[in-house]
Amino acid sequence: MNISFSPGAVKFLKQKQADSILIQFVELEGSAGDIDMVKEVEIKCGKPEDQTKYRYFEQNGFEIFIDRRLKVPGDIKIKKQGFWKFSFLYPDGVLVPF
């Protein structure tokens, strides 16, 4: 597996002064309980509390922690989406489990 960054993502991380990235699986319950469960992938700056639940990589000077529950069938590209203070990162190539 190869992990790469878009130029916008690198700039975003440097502005945040981040040297580690946490890619985690998040489950959110909706109004209908288990029927309305939302599963998504979220990127945060920082390290996880329990690193045993994550796969560790180092790329481009960044430490990357990927939740073991996520499926990664190939390469990952971390991209920036949005603009100004509405910007956020997302990992292209990471899938949520069903």
Side-chain angles (χ1 to χ4, degrees):
M1 169 185 8
N2 184 35
I3 302 172
S4 61
F5 295 82
S6 71
V10 172
K11 183 177 177 182
F12 179 89
L13 290 166
K14 286 183 179 181
Q15 287 174 342
K16 298 273 186 195
Q17 298 178 346
D19 60 354
S20 58
I21 303 164
L22 176 62
I23 302 174
Q24 61 187 148
F25 175 60
V26 180
E27 290 182 296
L28 304 170
E29 280 192 43
S31 58
D34 289 340
I35 297 170
D36 198 18
M37 181 71 68
V38 176
K39 297 178 180 183
E40 60 182 43
V41 178
E42 181 177 82
I43 293 185
K44 292 182 178 181
C45 297
K47 297 179 183 181
E49 289 181 22
D50 184 1
Q51 294 183 9
T52 61
K53 295 180 179 180
Y54 294 83
R55 290 176 268 179
Y56 174 81
F57 300 91
E58 195 169 329
Q59 192 78 29
N60 293 9
F62 296 104
E63 291 183 303
I64 304 162
F65 299 90
I66 302 174
D67 194 318
R68 291 186 182 276
R69 297 174 293 173
L70 294 169
K71 295 182 181 182
V72 184
D75 294 339
I76 298 173
K77 181 149 189 167
I78 297 176
K79 299 178 179 179
K80 181 187 138 231
Q81 189 168 352
F83 62 97
W84 193 40
K85 60 183 174 182
F86 304 108
S87 298
F88 62 94
L89 297 177
Y90 73 96
D92 192 19
V94 176
L95 305 172
V96 296
F98 288 103

